[in-house]
Amino acid sequence: MSAIKTLRLLMPQWQGGGNNPAYSLGARLLEWLAPKGSHPTIEVPIDPYHSTSIKKENGIIEQSALLKQLEDATTIIHQHHPQKIVVFGGDCLVEQAPISYLNQIYDGNLGVLWMDAHPDVTTPKDFQHEHAMVLGNLLGEGDPAFAEKVPVKLNPKKVMLGGLQETMAYETEVIQRLGLRHVGPKELSKSSNSVIEWIKEEQISKLFIHIDLDVLNASLFRSLLFANPYQDPKIFDGVAQGAMTIPELTRVIQDILPLTEIVGLGITEHMPWDAIHLQEMLEQIPILKE
Amino acid sequence: MSAIKTLRLLMPQWQGGGNNPAYSLGARLLEWLAPKGSHPTIEVPIDPYHSTSIKKENGIIEQSALLKQLEDATTIIHQHHPQKIVVFGGDCLVEQAPISYLNQIYDGNLGVLWMDAHPDVTTPKDFQHEHAMVLGNLLGEGDPAFAEKVPVKLNPKKVMLGGLQETMAYETEVIQRLGLRHVGPKELSKSSNSVIEWIKEEQISKLFIHIDLDVLNASLFRSLLFANPYQDPKIFDGVAQGAMTIPELTRVIQDILPLTEIVGLGITEHMPWDAIHLQEMLEQIPILKE
């Protein structure tokens, strides 16, 4: 297969976020909204959503299906041996194959800016959704079944958590032990300086930007898990929620463009409730199928 | 040109709603979300959004551009001489060409179910946005410059306003003078009976369903003018807002399917704020264009 410099993947994975059918349309809509690249988007095959037979394996929801999807994504990437990757998720776990591959081809020097309300360094001991472990997996922590699939682990110095909110004790332990840099939404709302300094100090020349859209304030961007209009927000009491605005997130990205080469971008956790509900209605109007 | 039984139009018109660029992506997203029909969607050419040179003509924002777009839509419809039409707006004014054509080919017997928080029977004397006059135009009222383009006016008995909220005095006058039937969201939340009775009593055998999405409750469906997360909701104080839910609207449509033939459907006033803001961000990330 011919080489594509910048590979563009669509990975409508839902299993890593548990039992939630909203991911699929969210992934496809993201891809539709994005500027067109010079190559077609390749879709990683994902088992369709099913609510009836979801199973927990080794403490993780749908672990074997997720391992198979990781393998499929990895195979597609190696077939194209790109220099850069864009991935439209799906849940955060879609980042594992692209980041693992890029860190390998860039000899362990890949920088990763993790724009996310959460650090995603949980383990199966503490949680059952694999998407909360993906950064851990890439660092050689997280879920051993996934961490062992990463040939070259990320260098913790080359990872920065941006927009991070309050963490759980078990997350704080990992962050402190590995010395992961982090900056909260309040500081980022004023300037991008902490990210700029990190890129300069660690001499990051190849950067992957992960965007979990839940880094955003759910009252200004409502296409998030926490903003389902038919769910009582109280069910998320105690769960950290993002506080950034889209203009702030855009400014952080703009500010680092001149300093490093962006070799990867992942956008994840998009749950466009209005589009989902509208589509459900449109599906039931026969004249639209004529 | 060969005949298409059910013509599918995309009309990303914004001028009828005044100065608002959100309509274009809203229209395209609606078309993308809808089930695929058996024929491609035809796009009515619309002047791109421009905020700098918007002009008021005879009391109406962009009246001449809107008249030209009405003429273009009418020409496309007559080229295909369909028996049914689906239109994705754009502002409510996109309904004029399809409804006018269908009422003509069905000899003035077209029924129109106007699902909208507003009656759209304003005149240039009271307001400057043509989308608030479209049902008036089709009844021979509204804006004379648009009403004169309707060869066969709607029979007021064959029009029903569904989901209607409190009206302005000048709207109430038209509704009462013409004897337009109407049913509010509270009654429709309990049953579709008033619409069913109207279809039976008026023996409506061909029906056009207009959906202004603002018939929906903006706290449950946020892709509406009234739910821009960056605008203070107070600026809409005094403006009637919808109160229906998507399940209620879907049920009304389902309930009338067995009673009449749906020969037209228009969906309008879609303002997907999250998609608009997300797309603005994605446009500024160069790797997405590679």
Side-chain angles (χ1 to χ4, degrees):
Chain A
M1 210 165 292
S2 69
I4 291 175
K5 194 183 168 204
T6 303
L7 181 65
R8 197 177 170 97
L9 292 178
L10 169 63
M11 196 162 173
Q13 179 173 275
W14 54 272
Q15 295 91 337
N19 186 353
N20 196 321
Y23 284 109
S24 178
L25 187 67
R28 291 177 202 286
L29 179 52
L30 263 180
E31 199 273 336
W32 183 78
L33 287 171
K36 295 299 151 241
S38 52
H39 296 283
T41 301
I42 295 171
E43 184 169 338
V44 180
I46 301 294
D47 299 339
Y49 175 73
H50 54 86
S51 61
T52 48
S53 59
I54 288 181
K55 54 188 180 303
K56 207 160 157 179
E57 304 152 305
N58 305 314
I60 296 296
I61 299 281
E62 292 285 300
Q63 193 191 44
S64 58
L66 288 167
L67 282 165
K68 173 70 168 62
Q69 288 161 197
L70 172 64
E71 189 186 322
D72 289 346
T74 304
T75 301
I76 290 169
I77 293 169
H78 282 275
Q79 279 169 344
H80 292 277
H81 45 89
Q83 293 164 42
K84 304 184 186 179
I85 302 175
V86 165
V87 59
F88 302 102
D91 66 71
C92 283
L93 186 64
V94 305
E95 307 287 34
Q96 180 157 340
I99 293 178
S100 177
Y101 166 86
L102 290 167
N103 196 40
Q104 188 174 22
I105 69 166
Y106 294 121
D107 303 319
N109 289 314
L110 185 70
V112 173
L113 178 61
W114 200 259
M115 300 301 303
D116 199 317
H118 311 100
D120 294 354
V121 292
T122 308
T123 72
K125 194 164 58 73
D126 298 305
F127 201 44
Q128 59 183 348
H129 294 167
E130 189 69 35
H131 70 162
M133 299 165 208
V134 56
L135 184 59
N137 300 340
L138 289 157
L139 286 158
E141 308 254 332
D143 177 357
F146 282 79
E148 72 171 24
K149 305 292 184 189
V150 180
V152 181
K153 306 299 190 266
L154 290 175
N155 176 348
K157 291 189 172 171
K158 305 234 173 199
V159 173
M160 182 157 193
L161 307 165
L164 185 68
Q165 293 286 53
E166 202 176 345
T167 49
M168 313 292 270
Y170 50 85
E171 296 166 332
T172 311
E173 187 278 322
V174 180
I175 293 170
Q176 289 181 346
R177 179 163 46 81
L178 299 183
L180 298 178
R181 292 208 204 197
H182 49 92
V183 53
K186 198 167 172 186
E187 193 178 328
L188 284 180
S189 75
K190 295 181 200 132
S191 92
S192 318
N193 284 347
S194 51
V195 179
I196 291 168
E197 281 162 24
W198 164 68
I199 288 172
K200 287 182 177 167
E201 283 174 22
E202 297 299 335
Q203 299 180 310
I204 289 166
S205 60
K206 309 281 183 188
L207 182 69
F208 188 100
I209 303 176
H210 158 72
I211 299 174
D212 179 332
L213 290 167
D214 82 6
V215 76
L216 298 170
N217 180 329
S219 71
L220 295 174
F221 184 83
R222 292 106 157 209
S223 300
L224 299 178
L225 180 64
F226 307 123
N228 183 338
Y230 288 94
Q231 242 173 5
D232 184 348
K234 282 188 192 142
I235 66 168
F236 297 111
D237 277 356
V239 180
Q241 299 196 24
M244 292 187 72
T245 66
I246 283 189
E248 287 164 6
L249 180 57
T250 307
R251 186 249 301 143
V252 170
I253 297 170
Q254 291 292 310
D255 284 350
I256 58 182
L257 286 178
L259 306 175
T260 182
E261 186 182 12
I262 311 297
V263 296
L265 172 71
I267 312 177
T268 65
E269 304 283 337
H270 184 216
M271 300 204 178
W273 301 113
D274 289 346
I276 289 166
H277 298 142
L278 193 52
Q279 190 172 60
E280 284 169 1
M281 180 178 79
L282 300 178
E283 285 291 339
Q284 295 180 63
I285 306 180
I287 192 174
L288 289 170
K289 297 180 184 171
E290 291 176 2
Chain B
M1 209 165 292
S2 69
I4 291 176
K5 193 182 167 204
T6 304
L7 181 66
R8 197 177 170 97
L9 293 177
L10 170 63
M11 196 161 173
Q13 180 174 274
W14 55 272
Q15 295 92 335
N19 187 352
N20 195 322
Y23 283 109
S24 178
L25 188 66
R28 291 178 202 287
L29 179 51
L30 262 181
E31 199 273 335
W32 183 79
L33 287 171
K36 296 300 151 238
S38 51
H39 297 283
T41 301
I42 296 171
E43 184 170 337
V44 180
I46 301 294
D47 298 340
Y49 176 74
H50 54 87
S51 60
T52 48
S53 59
I54 287 180
K55 53 189 182 302
K56 206 162 159 179
E57 304 152 302
N58 306 313
I60 295 296
I61 300 280
E62 292 287 301
Q63 192 190 46
S64 58
L66 288 167
L67 281 165
K68 174 68 168 61
Q69 288 161 197
L70 172 64
E71 188 184 324
D72 289 346
T74 304
T75 302
I76 290 170
I77 293 170
H78 281 275
Q79 279 169 343
H80 293 277
H81 44 88
Q83 291 164 41
K84 304 184 185 181
I85 302 175
V86 166
V87 59
F88 301 102
D91 67 69
C92 282
L93 186 64
V94 305
E95 306 289 34
Q96 179 157 341
I99 293 179
S100 176
Y101 166 86
L102 290 168
N103 195 40
Q104 188 174 24
I105 68 165
Y106 293 121
D107 304 318
N109 289 314
L110 185 71
V112 173
L113 178 60
W114 199 260
M115 300 301 303
D116 199 317
H118 312 99
D120 295 353
V121 293
T122 308
T123 72
K125 192 163 60 72
D126 298 305
F127 201 43
Q128 59 184 347
H129 294 166
E130 188 70 33
H131 71 160
M133 298 165 210
V134 54
L135 184 58
N137 300 341
L138 288 158
L139 286 158
E141 309 255 331
D143 177 356
F146 282 78
E148 72 172 25
K149 305 291 182 187
V150 180
V152 181
K153 305 299 189 266
L154 289 175
N155 176 347
K157 290 189 173 172
K158 303 232 173 204
V159 173
M160 180 155 193
L161 307 166
L164 185 68
Q165 293 287 51
E166 201 176 346
T167 50
M168 312 292 270
Y170 50 85
E171 295 166 332
T172 311
E173 185 277 323
V174 180
I175 292 171
Q176 290 182 345
R177 178 163 47 79
L178 299 184
L180 297 178
R181 290 206 204 200
H182 49 92
V183 52
K186 197 167 172 187
E187 191 177 331
L188 284 180
S189 75
K190 295 180 201 135
S191 92
S192 317
N193 284 348
S194 51
V195 179
I196 291 169
E197 281 162 24
W198 164 67
I199 289 172
K200 287 182 177 169
E201 284 174 23
E202 297 299 335
Q203 297 179 313
I204 289 166
S205 59
K206 309 282 182 187
L207 182 70
F208 188 100
I209 303 175
H210 158 71
I211 299 174
D212 180 330
L213 290 167
D214 84 5
V215 77
L216 297 171
N217 179 327
S219 72
L220 295 174
F221 184 83
R222 292 103 156 211
S223 299
L224 300 177
L225 180 64
F226 307 123
N228 184 339
Y230 288 95
Q231 243 174 4
D232 184 348
K234 282 188 190 140
I235 65 169
F236 297 111
D237 277 357
V239 180
Q241 298 196 25
M244 290 187 74
T245 67
I246 284 189
E248 287 164 5
L249 180 56
T250 306
R251 187 248 303 145
V252 170
I253 296 170
Q254 291 294 311
D255 284 349
I256 58 183
L257 286 179
L259 306 175
T260 183
E261 186 182 11
I262 311 297
V263 296
L265 172 72
I267 313 178
T268 64
E269 303 283 337
H270 185 215
M271 300 203 178
W273 300 112
D274 289 346
I276 290 165
H277 298 140
L278 194 52
Q279 189 172 60
E280 283 169 3
M281 179 176 82
L282 299 178
E283 285 290 339
Q284 296 180 63
I285 306 180
I287 191 174
L288 289 170
K289 297 179 183 170
E290 292 178 2

